[in-house]
Structures are given as C-alpha cells and as structure tokens.
Amino acid sequence: MEPFSCDTFVALPPATVANRIIFGKNSDRLCDEVQEVVYFPAAVHDNLGEHLKCTYIEIDQVPETYAVVLSRPAWLWGAEMGANEHGVCIGNEAVWGREEVCDEEALLGMDLVRLGLERADTAEKALNVIVDLLEKYGQGGNCSEGRMAFSYHNSFLIADRNEAWILETAGKYWAAEKVQEGVRNISNQLSITTKIDREHPDMRTYAKQKGWWDGKKEFDFAAAYSYLDTAKMMTSSGRYCEGYKLLNKHKGNITFETMMEILRDKPSGINMEGEFLTTASMVSILPQDSSLPCIHFFTGTPDPERSVFKPFIFVPHISQLLDTSSPTFELEDLVKKKSHFKPDRRHPLYQKHQQALEVVNNNEEKAKIMLDYMRKLEKELFRQMESILQNKHLDVDKIVNLFPQCTKDEIQIYQSNVSDHMVS
C-alpha cells in the first residue's frame, strides 16, 4: 500500500445519468490525522500589499476570492479536496517520478487546491491559476504533521459543470489533458500519456536534455517523467486500474450514489485500511443545467463505509460548520517549527464518530443497528437532494443550515449508541 494514496474520479455524460458531471475523491492519509470540513465566504481584499500566508510560505493576494467549502487535514492551510461557489471541484494526488522532489518549503499541492478554488470560476481557469503559481513559487515542503518527513509532486483532477481537466506535475514541469465525456480517474501515478492538450513550454526540451525522451518517438508524458510502462498501465492490479474498471463497469448509469459505492469499495483498495486509511471522502453533483444548484457531499470522518455523506449547497449567509471544524491552537507555529508536539485536532463530529465506533466494534448486532440508522439518514438526505434537482426549488432558509443540521443528526445517532452502551 502506498502512503498518502488518494483516488479521484470524474464521470461526464454520456457515462452519467441526467446530464450531470459527478466528481468523487477519497483522501487517504495517516490514520490518526483529522480532516475537517470548513467553509470560507467570498471576500474582497483591498490591501494587496498584504501577503497571504499559506501552509509554509507567503504569496501575493488577489483582489477577490470566491466562497469555498474544503475538506482538509486540520493542521494546514490548503485542502485535499473541495469546491467553490461556481461549481469548480478539485482533488489532488501525491505522485512521484524521475524528477527529484524538493524538500524546501514552497506551496504544498494542497495549498494549490485551495488557491485554485478561491481564484477561478471555471476548471480551466483553475488550471491556469495552479500552473502560474507553480511557476512563480514552486511546490515542496513536508506534507505531514510532526515527525514524519514526507514530500511529493502533485496531480490534480479539476472539474466544473462543463468539463474536467487532469493536471500532472513533475517539479515545475506539467502536462494537462482535457476530458469532455466519459470517465477518468487519477491515483498515485502519472497517467497522462500521449493525449496532451496543454503543457509547460519547456516540458519536452527538459525531458530530452535528461535523456528521458529521444525526441523522435511520440511523446508520452508518463513514460518520460516516471518509471511506468504505460503500455501495461491499464492492466496492472494497482488502484488506478481498479478505479478505472469500477467506473467502466457502471458507465452509462453513473449517479452520485454509484460514485459513493466506488469510494466505499474495499476489495479494490480504494477505501483504504491500515496505517494509511481513507480519512475523508467527497462526492459532488455538477448539473450541466446552470439553473440547478451544485451539491457537494462530505463525510468529515474516516472510512466512507462507516460514515455519512452529508450535503452542502452554496447559498448566501451559510451557517458556520462548527461540528466539523477542528479546534485552533495558539501553537500553530509549532507545526512550522517542526515541533514534535501534536495537538488534539478532533472536531465534535470526529470525536462522536470515534466513540461510537469503539462501542460497536466488538458488537456486531449494535454495529448493524447503528449502520442502519446512518444509511436511513443518508437515504433521506439523498431523496431531499434529488427532489431539489427535479423540482428546481431551493428553500434558501433551510439550505443555509443544511450541512450543520445533517451533522447534528449524525452526531445524534452516535450519541444514542454510546449512551445505550453505558445503560446496558
């Protein structure tokens, strides 16, 4: 099992039902790392002399940023995955190849996810934002909190209501592939081969200089920049191939629920267990009809099989997501100073989820009852969301509190299981 092994998926018509683009991602990280779900409203930044502090470095701010909802490791500034008010979704993956990874602190791939969402109202504009920042500031720095030093390059899957882009990087070099129909996924390997729609201007020259490409045969990005045999890429037993098979199995009938099933799949390794596990999951519905809202589901807890996908819809004056926001510490600088102190970052939902799982872990019957309640809650939420999409009607007053209310309902399920256990 590769560490930090995420999987990101997109399905577009005609692979999906009802003219929707469906985005999904599992974030696989160290098993004790807490992931929070947080919302940041749109903002105007008048004082452009002020710098923006990302996880490790400061960069130039822009005049305006869009509202975003993010699923992120609670210790850092960026995000593993998220969406913005314009229906742009981004997920990133760790990738390695021939180009050496820089240990120096720069922008993390997760910072680039958030920056792309805050600064772009289409998928391709987000790609532009990311590659411009990559050129200006570079990527690098430790991607885990505490003792373990871990750095990598990044690939990104960026989607909006109309199309998706795969962006894969090696240091400052990159290639991008446009996806306009069907299915596509990324895992922890370069996957862009000969279909390259955009690229770093020096990407081929650099590969030639390094002796990775002879300049004669058709240029293959993954073959040149990594050690992959791209001819065997789709037949190996890795998660990239397994994910592709699962998408293809449902091609033509993919719904948001299909995407959740794929993220919950354990035999493929996509729903990861062990020292590195699926710490959070996200699925988004991006209707091609712009009169319909985009709906983004987040778990905010580990193991999607034993979590609830809760919906979030962008409307003005969203209630703060308190139950999925981790405590903040005056000691944040300790992270930057490589301190071995690790604060308790568990948010209320994470704590209740953990307590309930400890109670039911040794009791199959209790586990089944609790899971039934969780699935019932989820099914009711799915029914309500489907109704919004069918009837084209949003009760904005309710939607303001949608995600926080769903989280409270989920916590209620966990609390009643823990209290039942104490009584018995």
Side-chain angles (χ1 to χ4, degrees), residues 191-226:
S191 64
I192 295 174
T193 56
T194 55
K195 184 188 182 303
I196 300 171
D197 295 299
R198 292 187 49 190
E199 64 190 73
H200 186 285
D202 302 324
M203 185 260 289
R204 294 176 198 237
T205 314
Y206 184 72
K208 204 172 166 187
Q209 279 170 3
K210 296 290 262 183
W212 302 337
W213 177 52
D214 62 9
K216 294 182 190 122
K217 64 171 180 274
E218 187 179 18
F219 186 80
D220 177 325
F221 179 71
Y225 276 84
S226 71

Side-chain angles (χ1 to χ4, degrees), residues 27 29-37 71-76 80 145 279-280 300-302 324-327 342-351 354:
S27 171
R29 313 256 317 159
L30 273 168
C31 60
D32 63 347
E33 185 182 74
V34 177
Q35 203 151 139
E36 59 179 353
V37 181
S71 185
R72 66 174 186 179
W75 62 273
L76 51 76
E80 273 278 295
E145 181 181 28
T279 52
T301 51
T324 55
S325 296
S326 294
K342 253 180 131 174
D344 181 358
R345 299 188 182 280
R346 293 173 305 156
H347 48 72
L349 173 66
Y350 189 100
Q351 289 185 15
Q354 214 174 28

Side-chain angles (χ1 to χ4, degrees), residues 45 53 134-135 138 208 240 339 384 388 407:
H45 309 279
K53 193 159 180 36
L134 194 59
E135 185 69 33
K208 204 172 166 187
Y240 173 69
S339 160
Q384 289 172 19
I388 286 170
T407 308

Side-chain angles (χ1 to χ4, degrees), residues 6-26:
C6 307
D7 293 276
T8 311
F9 304 86
V10 69
L12 305 88
T16 58
V17 172
N19 291 322
R20 298 171 186 173
I21 289 179
I22 308 291
F23 171 94
K25 177 176 174 184
N26 269 355

Side-chain angles (χ1 to χ4, degrees), residues 15-127:
T16 58
V17 172
N19 291 322
R20 298 171 186 173
I21 289 179
I22 308 291
F23 171 94
K25 177 176 174 184
N26 269 355
S27 171
D28 303 335
R29 313 256 317 159
L30 273 168
C31 60
D32 63 347
E33 185 182 74
V34 177
Q35 203 151 139
E36 59 179 353
V37 181
V38 287
Y39 166 76
F40 295 99
V44 171
H45 309 279
D46 294 324
N47 184 1
L48 293 181
E50 263 185 41
H51 277 89
L52 169 67
K53 193 159 180 36
C54 300
T55 303
Y56 294 120
I57 66 165
E58 293 190 359
I59 68 167
D60 294 334
Q61 184 54 286
V62 290
E64 182 189 5
T65 50
Y66 300 125
V68 295
V69 60
L70 308 171
S71 185
R72 66 174 186 179
W75 62 273
L76 51 76
W77 181 85
E80 273 278 295
M81 50 203 173
N84 73 17
E85 60 182 296
H86 296 288
V88 179
C89 295
I90 310 179
N92 81 310
E93 308 280 328
V95 289
W96 295 267
R98 297 181 201 266
E99 183 66 0
E100 225 167 281
V101 173
C102 164
D103 287 331
E104 268 176 55
E105 289 180 351
L107 287 173
L108 292 179
M110 292 173 279
D111 293 338
L112 291 166
V113 168
R114 178 170 173 180
L115 290 161
L117 292 170
E118 285 190 340
R119 299 179 176 198
D121 58 3
T122 70
E124 189 168 9
K125 282 185 195 168
L127 184 148

Side-chain angles (χ1 to χ4, degrees), residues 141-166:
N142 192 7
C143 301
S144 78
E145 181 181 28
R147 292 163 191 257
M148 185 177 167
F150 200 70
S151 303
Y152 46 76
H153 294 147
N154 291 269
S155 67
F156 304 86
L157 199 161
I158 312 167
D160 62 22
R161 290 176 182 271
N162 302 304
E163 63 188 24
W165 283 85
I166 309 296

